[in-house]
Amino acid sequence: MISKVLIANRAEIAVRIIAACREAGLATVSIHSEVDRDSLHVRLADESVCIGPAAANASYLNITAVIAAAEITGADAIHPGYGFLAENAHFAEIVQECGLTWIGPPPDAIRAMGDKANARRTVTARGVPVLPGSSEPLASREDAVAVAEGIGYPVILKATAGGGGKGMRVARDPRELKQVFDTARHEAEKAFGNGDVYLEKYLTAPRHIEIQVLADSHGKVVAFGERECSIQRRHQKLVEEAPSMAVDAELRQRMCDAATEAAAAVGYTSAGTVEFLYDDGQFYFMEMNTRIQVEHPVTEAVTGVDLVLEQLRIAAGLPLSVRRRPHMSGNAIEFRINAEDPVTFAPSPGEITDLALPGGPGVRVDTHIYRGYRIPPNYDSLVAKLIVHGANRKEAIRRAKRALGMFVIGGVRTSIPLHLRILEEPDFVEGRLSTRFMERFATRE
Ligand code: ADP
């Protein structure tokens, strides 16, 4: 059993996990860097330990310091949130070797899905469709060109260790492929310490549709239906919704079956997300994220299931509280509110001088900011998530406009005006989405 959870993260997700722990009656320990002393997750946890200076490498990514914080405070479990150490199999192993409960999937499952080329091979063996591409890392430019000949252009090069949209390069012909091959390898090496790249067919205007799964340690895997995350900038999601306008009951069943197969293939437990691209009636496995995701609340809104609470139950060895896929009720949309310029997208850290959070029917805000809080420049710019829920998509959109219009964040620039513009776009209103949606807001940078 678990009694005290250390949250190896910061900001809104740390606050979200503290909330689930409180409901579960568990004590909480937060960790923080020197610049995060005044963060809400520090105030809300029962205890907090400063684990190092601002630089993530010296604090939130410092495994020794995180483990020491758990030992000093007598925590018996660690929840990694998303980002930082969440998908680090080595860290998960150390947590377990130290006799602590890891609130996440088995380290081997993280490793199997963390290598994207390996993940492709694993799910293919289970009959899950993938885009045509290379199943092994590419040895050379010539190798890349030979593989691309076989599948046809355009192609996309991806880092096998990839994540966060880094290390990806599109090529439209052999000449371009040769040009970008070294850049992609170099970028992958720099970002992930591993320069291996593979390639697959590039779809020019697909939808990004993903399936939430939960699996317990008793062999039960439940798929929770889809989220559509096609509204992205530089491969980073901005707006997510559930259900997707493109998915009917039959397609949902097929995608949920594929996601369940993918999870079962690696002996998955805990919460995870199987990401697909969807184009022209077909869906293709892209990768599995072996953690709770930023956009998990839209699934919570339409299913009524607390996914983080389920993670705690699963880690404690309890069975899933849901036996089969829950019905999705109404429509939910999440807007990522970043402290950045809504036109140029330049980060806008600084002090929050004024704050009024929207509320009322169908509105949820997950955030760590408060009036007087100073957003440090050291981490990502997500400051709040607005999640709206309505009986149907039209109602969800009306609630989104109302809530964004009543959302006051003073002192820094935010993406709220951008979201209000997105809501006015006929393609958004009609649900005509693809990963190219944001190109209409492109700026010269
Ligand atoms: P990361 O792990 O870096 O986030 P993903 O593999 O999840 O990378 O891809 C992120 C995004 O990149 C997708 O949501 C999609 O917009 C785009 N993308 C990835 N692969 C392809 C592809 N084969 N064709 C078209 N777009 C792609």
Side-chain angles (χ1 to χ4, degrees), residues 6-10 14 29-33 36 41-42 45 47-51 59-60 65-66 69-70:
L6 179 137
I7 297 120
N9 215 299
R10 63 181 299 279
V29 178
S30 70
I31 55 170
H32 64 274
S33 70
D36 269 344
H41 76 279
V42 176
E47 296 166 74
S48 194
V49 181
C50 181
I51 54 157
S59 51
Y60 297 104
V66 175

Side-chain angles (χ1 to χ4, degrees), residues 116 131 156 158 162-166 168 192 198 200-204 206 208 229 232 235-237 275 277 286-287 289 435:
K116 291 191 185 186
L131 282 163
I156 182 168
K158 291 184 174 186
K166 286 191 211 107
M168 292 195 287
F192 314 110
Y198 67 103
E200 65 185 24
K201 178 91 189 155
Y202 180 71
L203 300 175
T204 47
H208 173 120
C229 314
Q232 310 176 343
H235 308 303
Q236 298 277 24
K237 299 159 189 168
E275 296 191 329
L277 289 178
M286 198 164 37
E287 64 167 339
N289 287 322
T435 56

Side-chain angles (χ1 to χ4, degrees), residues 108-276:
D108 284 344
I110 301 178
R111 202 167 272 127
M113 288 299 183
D115 179 322
K116 291 191 185 186
N118 180 58
R120 270 174 63 93
R121 283 195 301 274
T122 308
V123 304
T124 307
R126 290 279 190 137
V128 175
V130 297
L131 282 163
S134 60
S135 46
E136 300 291 338
L138 300 162
S140 63
R141 292 161 156 211
E142 291 67 34
D143 190 16
V145 171
V147 175
E149 273 328 303
I151 57 182
Y153 289 90
V155 295
I156 182 168
L157 279 171
K158 291 184 174 186
T160 60
K166 286 191 211 107
M168 292 195 287
R169 281 283 184 286
V170 179
R172 284 165 191 81
D173 53 54
R175 207 174 55 94
E176 198 176 1
L177 180 55
K178 281 188 194 153
Q179 272 170 8
V180 297
F181 185 77
D182 292 334
T183 326
R185 279 194 58 90
H186 184 74
E187 219 176 271
E189 177 68 48
K190 222 174 100 192
F192 314 110
N194 173 354
D196 283 352
V197 294
Y198 67 103
L199 65 74
E200 65 185 24
K201 178 91 189 155
Y202 180 71
L203 300 175
T204 47
R207 287 174 182 256
H208 173 120
I209 300 177
E210 60 188 32
I211 303 286
Q212 174 72 54
V213 298
L214 282 183
D216 65 21
S217 56
H218 305 274
K220 182 85 187 158
V221 185
V222 175
F224 276 65
E226 81 280 5
R227 293 186 285 260
E228 161 127 24
C229 314
S230 299
I231 300 187
Q232 310 176 343
R233 180 176 170 271
R234 293 195 174 162
H235 308 303
Q236 298 277 24
K237 299 159 189 168
L238 272 177
V239 178
E240 303 100 340
E241 63 179 286
S244 163
M245 298 265 282
V247 178
D248 62 14
E250 187 264 338
L251 177 61
R252 177 167 307 122
Q253 188 60 51
R254 283 197 289 130
M255 293 186 78
C256 284
D257 289 346
T260 305
E261 277 300 319
V266 295
Y268 205 81
T269 62
S270 194
T273 300
V274 183
E275 296 191 329
F276 297 98

